Amino acid sequence: MKFFKIILSLFISIILLTNCTQKTIQKEQKSLKKTFENDFYIGAALNEFQFNKTDSVETALIINEFNSITAENMMKSMHIHPQKDTFNFKQADKFVAFGEKNNLFIHGHTLIWHSQLAPWIKEIKDSTEMVNFMKNHIQTIVNRYKGKVNSWDVVNEALNDDGTLRKTVFLDALGEDYLALAFKLAAEADPVAELYYNDYSMADAPKRKGAIKLVKSLQEKGVKIDGIGMQGHWGLNFPDLKEIDKSLTEYAALGIKISITELDITVLPNPFEVHGADVNMSFENNETMNPYPNKLPDSINNKLAKRYEDIFKILLKHKDNISRITFWGVNDGQSWLNNWPINGRTNYPLLFDREFKPKKAYKTILSLKDGKE
Ligand code: G3I
């Protein structure tokens, strides 16, 4: 009997211990996607070096932390449609397969963009030729990934900073009708996929005004547009938090979803106060412009964490209208901001450092949900 009691108490202790360990593990295994699962998708932009790895620390981190991915480069026209009669789907197929395999919300970037154009598209001047290009380009790509890609940046960066329409090869050939045409073609090819207009500096008043005008004009024409993408290439001091808040309110009033599509926060000096993300700009590198080549000082790391915290507080306030928040990259070493607007700097704009370790900003934004839900 005594032996039986000892065995029973041992058995109970093991069960209690296992339970306790499981709870500790569960507590320790916080992640971005779990923390914000009732609020919005949390995504990362991936390039081909990331989704082509199969078994790495990085793959595990992507799957563990994010429930959405965006194509950083491989769906841009210069890569996917390099010549008039040639599509190259190799990397885009792999990107989509990675998303499907891991059950991620897949975002396609981008169908119509004036930048990173295949050279042959730049030469199109004639309106019929442009319509034919847009039909072939949009229908072929959207059809191929129908039912797999969940949402698309249909048009990217069509606005100037003052809110007027940017002069592009599309505007030149078709006037502003190209915008409605792009959305119509995408909706015809996949009526279920969500269709976005995506741009940078979307929290700045003049561009906000232009974006609202653009969306309203599409809505008045009865064209399907599901959302606005605010890229979110922001800094430690810009844009003003009040402007982010105001923009989210005003975009939501259009009755469409909002995504923060390319979030990163530069911590480096800004030559000539350049904001936004115009990929054609570049400036000279020097020591003043690259102050932290070896390590991010604690003081700046703390500022970055506070800035992310302040921004996420606003995003959570607007969570009912926000569908997705996507970071533009996974770790600091991979960010485009190491090479823009100055080539070869060391920037620290994301939540994970160059060794994939979470930074203070990661912990700070997760703690915003402590004790909630
Ligand atoms: O892959 C080549 C490599 O072989 C070559 O040695 C190297 C030399 O410069 O270039 C590499 O290609 C670069 C590519 O990124 C991959 O790193 C291109 O030069 C460079 O222009 C390209 O930059 C991309 C940029 O868009 C232009 O397409 C960035 O990765 C990408 O993050 C950035 O993303 C844009 C969004 O699409 C739209 N919103 C703004 C955002 C930031 O600029």
Side-chain angles (χ1 to χ4, degrees), residues 8 13 129 156 248 250 287 292 331 341 344 348 353:
L8 187 69
S13 312
E129 221 185 304
N156 196 43
L248 290 164
E250 293 193 11
E287 270 173 35
Y292 324 119
N331 89 12
Y348 303 84
D353 72 14

Side-chain angles (χ1 to χ4, degrees), residues 47-49 72-73 76 78-79 109-110 113 115-116 156-157 198 200 231 233 262 277-279 328 336 340:
N47 62 47
E48 63 267 32
F49 306 108
E72 184 176 2
N73 285 316
K76 293 172 181 174
M78 67 183 288
H79 300 296
H109 171 83
T110 171
W113 188 26
S115 194
Q116 311 307 112
N156 196 43
E157 301 172 6
N198 188 49
Y200 58 81
Q231 291 185 3
H233 295 296
E262 306 183 12
D278 186 340
V279 290
W328 205 241
W336 73 293
W340 187 91

Side-chain angles (χ1 to χ4, degrees), residues 125-284:
K125 306 271 181 286
D126 175 70
S127 60
T128 312
E129 221 185 304
M130 182 57 84
V131 170
N132 288 341
F133 154 70
M134 286 178 63
K135 271 191 188 158
N136 185 25
H137 185 77
I138 294 176
Q139 288 175 341
T140 307
I141 298 170
V142 176
N143 256 319
R144 185 174 184 92
Y145 301 117
K146 190 173 179 169
K148 297 178 177 178
V149 166
N150 305 89
S151 59
W152 286 99
D153 287 333
V154 177
V155 177
N156 196 43
E157 301 172 6
L159 294 168
N160 294 310
D161 286 347
D162 66 2
T164 57
L165 283 181
R166 187 194 285 270
K167 182 173 159 46
T168 64
V169 67
F170 314 110
L171 190 75
D172 282 349
L174 298 176
E176 66 180 86
D177 289 349
Y178 88 87
L179 296 159
L181 179 65
F183 279 87
K184 258 175 70 188
L185 289 167
E188 275 165 25
D190 186 349
V192 174
E194 292 172 9
L195 307 181
Y196 279 75
Y197 172 71
N198 188 49
D199 211 329
Y200 58 81
S201 301
M202 292 282 273
D204 294 356
K207 209 168 212 181
R208 178 169 65 226
K209 218 170 142 200
I212 290 171
K213 192 173 158 207
L214 188 158
V215 172
K216 279 190 174 160
S217 118
L218 293 175
Q219 289 173 329
E220 277 156 18
K221 291 177 188 149
V223 172
K224 176 179 181 295
I225 172 165
D226 300 289
I228 283 247
M230 299 173 71
Q231 291 185 3
H233 295 296
W234 291 332
L236 291 175
N237 303 311
F238 73 90
D240 193 318
L241 294 170
K242 284 198 210 95
E243 294 300 316
I244 298 179
D245 194 15
K246 189 167 182 222
S247 306
L248 290 164
T249 305
E250 293 193 11
Y251 293 142
L254 295 166
I256 55 177
K257 297 179 182 183
I258 305 158
S259 285
I260 309 299
T261 52
E262 306 183 12
L263 185 56
D264 49 26
I265 297 176
T266 179
V267 302
L268 297 185
N270 195 347
F272 312 118
E273 291 306 303
V274 171
H275 293 178
D278 186 340
V279 290
N280 296 312
M281 286 186 182
S282 75
F283 300 89
E284 283 291 305

Side-chain angles (χ1 to χ4, degrees), residues 306-322:
K306 175 76 172 71
R307 179 73 173 155
Y308 265 116
E309 179 183 11
D310 290 344
I311 289 172
F312 263 75
K313 276 186 187 160
I314 297 175
L315 299 178
L316 283 166
K317 177 178 147 195
H318 291 272
K319 64 180 183 174
D320 291 345
N321 301 311
I322 296 181

Side-chain angles (χ1 to χ4, degrees), residues 2-63:
K2 199 173 168 197
F3 177 72
F4 178 72
K5 273 187 183 166
I6 291 172
I7 294 290
L8 187 69
S9 65
L10 249 171
F11 184 67
I12 291 171
S13 312
I14 287 171
I15 292 197
L16 285 176
L17 202 73
T18 315
N19 222 341
C20 191
T21 317
Q22 265 174 1
K23 275 190 184 146
T24 317
I25 289 171
Q26 271 167 14
K27 219 177 158 193
E28 279 168 4
Q29 278 182 347
K30 275 185 169 186
S31 70
L32 291 164
K33 71 175 183 191
K34 272 189 225 151
T35 303
F36 298 107
E37 67 183 343
N38 297 323
D39 305 319
F40 21 65
Y41 284 112
I42 295 282
L46 300 187
N47 62 47
E48 63 267 32
F49 306 108
Q50 295 166 307
F51 57 78
N52 280 334
K53 288 181 193 162
T54 46
D55 184 22
S56 65
V57 174
E58 181 166 19
T59 315
L61 185 140
I62 293 166
I63 297 164

